[in-house]
Amino acid sequence: MSSVVDANIFNDFVEIVHVSNTDGAQALLPTITAKHDVIGLGASMESTLLCTTVTARSLPEDDASKRAPVDIVVALDVSGSMTGRKLDLCKDTIKLLLRELSSQDRFGLVTFGDEANLEIPVRKLTKENKESSLNKVKSLSTQGCTNISGGIGLAARELTAVESPHEVRAVFLLTDGHANRGVADKKGIVELTKACLGSNDGQRSTAIHCFGYGSDHDQDVLSDISSAAEGGSYYFVDQDSDVSSAFGDALGGVLSVVAQNTVVKLKVPSEASGYGVSISSVRHDKAVKQADGSYHIDIGDFYAEESRDIIVETSLSKEGRGEIKIPHIEASISFLDTIQKKMVADLTVIGSIARPEGTEVSRANLYVALQCIRIQATEVMRTTEVLADSNQLEKAKSNISDFIKLLTFEAAELGQSSSPMVVNLLLELNTISSGLSSRSEYQYTTSKYMKSKMTSHQQQRCFAANEGSVDMYRSSRKGQMSKKLKRLAKK
C-alpha cells in the first residue's frame, strides 16, 4: 500500500493532514491536531497535548454489494420471564433483522433457557433458507431459567464451524435477567466469552452485542461480556418497544464495518527526540507503552463515518526554528480493510508545533479541548459508579454535580456552551444526577443508563436503544436502521 502526505490545511478548528493512495477509497484517515499550534520558548509551559484522530470513510446508501458480507448469530433468552409481550417483540425484531440481511450474509439462531438449543444453524440466506428461518422464529416459546453461558458457547461454536467465514462476524445476545444456570458468576462468563469469541491462538475476534432487556438484568455482566471481544457493545433496553430500534442500531453498525483490527502506533520522531521531546502520557484505556517509549493502542473495528480520538501529552521541544513547526509526535495506523479485503500498514502522519522566541501561546484548539472534556466526563461517570455501587449516593450525586458546574464553566470559557457534545453531556449528567436520589432508582435504572453512556463515550460509539434519543456518535447507517426497524415493528 503506497501512501503520501499531501498537505496541511488549516481552519478554525483542526489541522487536517490528507493521506492519499491509488488503490481506491481509503477506509481510514489519520490526522493529528495540536491543542496549541504555537507555544513560544518563553511560555510557562513544559508540555502540551496533541490529538490523534482516525476517521472512517462513508459507504454508498442501500447498496449491499458495497459493504462487507456478515455472519450473525442471535442468542436469545427464552426463559420463563420472557413469556408474552417480551418474546413476541423479540421474535418480530429477529424477523425484521432477517429481512434486512442479503443472500451474501449468513444467519443462525440459538435460544437459551435451562439449556442452550440450536434453532437455526448458521447458513447463507438463500430465499429458501430465509423463509424457513422466518417460520422457525414464529414457533419459538419460553421455558426454564437463564443459561447465558450456554447461549454464548453454542453461538460461538456455530460461528467457528463455518467454512470460509466472512471477515465481519457478530453475536447478538439478548436477555432480561441474571445468569442462574451453567456458568453463573461474572468472572466465569467473561472468561468463557473471551475463550470463545476473543482473539486466541490465531482465532479472529468476534464482536458480541449485548441487549439488557428491562430493569432486572445485570448491567455489569453484560457490559463485561461485550468488552470481552473486539467491537462489542452493551445496550440498555428500558422500554419493551425499543427492542427493534436497539437491534437496528447494532445492525446498522455491523452492516457498515469498513475496518477491523485497527492499531495506532505513537512515537516521537527522531528529530524531536534530539530537542528533548518525549511522550509523557497517552489518555486512552488501551494504550500500552513499549520498551522504546512508544505506545501501541488497539482501537478495534470501525463503522462507516466513525471517528476515534487519542489524546497524547508530550514534553515541549527545548529548541525553536522561528515560525517553522517542529514535529512532536508521529502516528501510524494499520488495519484490515473489510471492503477491499486487504491489510493496510503504516499510514503515517506527523503532529508539529511552532516554537518561536517569546511567550506567545496560540488559542486552544476547540476540537482537542472538547475531547479532553469527553475523557473527563467518562472518568467522572466511572468514579460516580464506584461511589454509588458502594451505597454512597450522596457523594456520588455531589461528584456529578461538581462536574456539571465545572463543565458549564469550561464550556462557557471556550464559547462552546451550545456545542452538541456539551449539550449531550449535560443532558446525560443531569439524568444521572436525578437518578441518584434513591437506592432502588439507581439499581434498577440509573446504573444501567450510566453504564451504557460511559461505555459509549469511552468507545466513541452510539449504543442508543431508542431511535429518537440524542446521541452525538450515531452514524447515518445506525440512525437509519434504528428508525427503519422501529417503524416496521409498528406495522
Side-chain angles (χ1 to χ4, degrees):
M1 165 66 74
S2 61
S3 64
V4 58
V5 177
D6 287 339
N8 292 336
I9 301 175
F10 299 90
N11 60 28
D12 291 339
F13 293 91
V14 62
E15 176 182 355
I16 302 171
V17 184
H18 288 289
V19 180
S20 67
N21 66 85
T22 58
D23 300 322
Q26 185 64 57
L28 300 179
L29 174 70
T31 63
I32 298 179
T33 310
K35 185 173 183 180
H36 301 282
D37 287 325
V38 179
I39 302 175
L41 290 167
S44 59
M45 294 173 63
E46 295 183 354
S47 65
T48 191
L49 301 177
L50 300 101
C51 179
T52 297
T53 302
V54 181
T55 304
R57 58 170 285 185
S58 60
L59 284 176
E61 296 293 327
D62 298 324
D63 187 350
S65 67
K66 298 298 183 182
R67 66 165 173 84
V70 301
D71 297 335
I72 293 178
V73 174
V74 173
L76 177 64
D77 182 348
V78 292
S79 61
S81 59
M82 290 287 288
T83 300
R85 176 175 166 79
K86 283 184 179 180
L87 183 63
D88 288 343
L89 285 170
C90 289
K91 288 161 66 173
D92 289 343
T93 299
I94 293 171
K95 287 186 282 186
L96 292 174
L97 183 151
L98 274 164
R99 291 190 171 100
E100 290 302 316
L101 298 178
S102 72
S103 59
Q104 66 178 336
D105 303 313
R106 295 188 184 96
F107 175 83
L109 175 64
V110 167
T111 59
F112 57 93
D114 284 329
E115 304 291 337
N117 296 298
L118 178 62
E119 306 290 351
I120 302 171
V122 178
R123 57 193 179 185
K124 283 200 170 181
L125 286 173
T126 62
K127 183 178 179 180
E128 293 76 15
N129 285 343
K130 184 173 285 192
E131 283 300 317
S132 65
S133 296
L134 289 168
N135 289 330
K136 183 63 180 178
V137 171
K138 292 177 185 177
S139 68
L140 297 177
S141 60
T142 56
Q143 51 85 23
C145 295
T146 310
N147 190 342
I148 293 176
S149 64
I152 293 172
L154 185 53
R157 191 182 76 186
E158 275 297 293
L159 282 173
T160 304
V162 173
E163 293 184 11
S164 303
H166 296 316
E167 297 291 350
V168 181
R169 300 181 296 172
V171 173
F172 283 20
L173 171 72
L174 192 144
T175 180
D176 72 337
H178 294 248
N180 51 25
R181 286 290 187 274
V183 180
D185 63 293
K186 181 172 77 169
K187 182 179 179 182
I189 295 177
V190 172
E191 287 181 349
L192 179 144
T193 305
K194 287 180 179 178
C196 291
L197 300 175
S199 51
N200 306 299
D201 301 324
Q203 171 184 290
R204 291 179 299 169
S205 182
T206 299
I208 179 165
H209 302 282
C210 299
F211 303 84
Y213 201 158
S215 61
D216 195 42
H217 70 273
D218 189 326
Q219 73 276 4
D220 290 328
V221 169
L222 293 188
S223 178
D224 287 356
I225 288 173
S226 71
S227 300
E230 177 188 309
S233 56
Y234 161 63
Y235 288 81
F236 169 36
V237 186
D238 188 23
Q239 303 297 321
D240 288 354
S241 59
D242 286 339
V243 170
S244 56
S245 50
F247 261 58
D249 186 89
L251 182 62
V254 171
L255 297 184
S256 65
V257 173
V258 297
Q260 290 180 319
N261 308 324
T262 309
V263 176
V264 177
K265 298 177 183 179
L266 299 173
K267 68 177 184 178
V268 174
S270 56
E271 176 187 4
S273 296
Y275 294 150
V277 179
S278 62
I279 298 175
S280 305
S281 65
V282 178
R283 300 179 186 177
H284 195 283
D285 289 351
K286 293 190 176 181
V288 178
K289 189 173 184 178
Q290 307 299 304
D292 62 357
S294 64
Y295 282 79
H296 289 187
I297 307 99
D298 181 353
I299 56 175
D301 63 356
F302 275 78
Y303 302 152
E305 304 170 18
E306 284 190 323
S307 292
R308 304 273 192 282
D309 296 283
I310 302 169
I311 298 293
V312 186
E313 182 179 7
T314 72
S315 57
L316 285 165
S317 168
K318 293 180 172 58
E319 298 184 28
R321 295 185 300 194
E323 297 300 320
I324 300 175
K325 290 188 173 185
I326 296 175
H328 275 64
I329 196 75
E330 176 184 304
S332 62
I333 63 171
S334 301
F335 57 91
L336 171 66
D337 185 326
T338 60
I339 306 299
Q340 300 191 40
K341 297 182 175 60
K342 61 183 177 182
M343 290 298 301
V344 179
D346 298 327
L347 288 180
T348 301
V349 288
I350 303 292
S352 301
I353 299 169
R355 296 282 279 150
E357 296 293 333
T359 59
E360 177 189 1
V361 177
S362 61
R363 71 184 181 92
N365 180 280
L366 296 179
Y367 185 87
V368 180
L370 289 171
Q371 291 308 315
C372 292
I373 287 174
R374 172 185 62 82
I375 294 170
Q376 279 182 284
T378 306
E379 292 170 348
V380 167
M381 289 182 192
R382 188 176 289 121
T383 56
T384 299
E385 180 184 47
V386 171
L387 289 168
D389 284 348
S390 60
N391 210 25
Q392 300 180 69
L393 291 183
E394 286 300 320
K395 286 187 177 180
K397 194 177 183 73
S398 178
N399 191 52
I400 286 286
S401 298
D402 288 346
F403 184 69
I404 288 173
K405 294 174 185 175
L406 177 63
L407 172 54
T408 302
F409 173 78
E410 288 187 355
E413 288 287 292
L414 292 168
Q416 293 295 296
S417 297
S418 60
S419 79
M421 178 180 287
V422 171
V423 171
N424 200 70
L425 284 173
L426 287 174
L427 174 64
E428 294 172 0
L429 292 165
N430 279 298
T431 300
I432 292 168
S433 179
S434 65
L436 292 168
S437 300
S438 70
R439 182 67 194 168
S440 60
E441 187 175 4
Y442 173 72
Q443 180 179 349
Y444 290 112
T445 304
T446 308
S447 61
K448 297 167 177 60
Y449 175 86
M450 182 162 61
K451 176 70 76 175
S452 180
K453 295 303 180 183
M454 185 166 53
T455 308
S456 178
H457 291 304
Q458 182 180 329
Q459 296 187 25
Q460 292 181 269
R461 174 169 284 177
C462 174
F463 301 139
N466 183 277
E467 80 288 355
S469 61
V470 177
D471 195 294
M472 60 188 171
Y473 305 120
R474 182 181 277 129
S475 65
S476 62
R477 285 301 185 95
K478 276 176 158 275
Q480 289 165 7
M481 190 62 73
S482 181
K483 290 178 181 177
K484 182 177 183 179
L485 263 61
K486 173 63 78 68
R487 184 180 68 252
L488 293 173
K490 292 179 179 178
K491 291 183 176 180

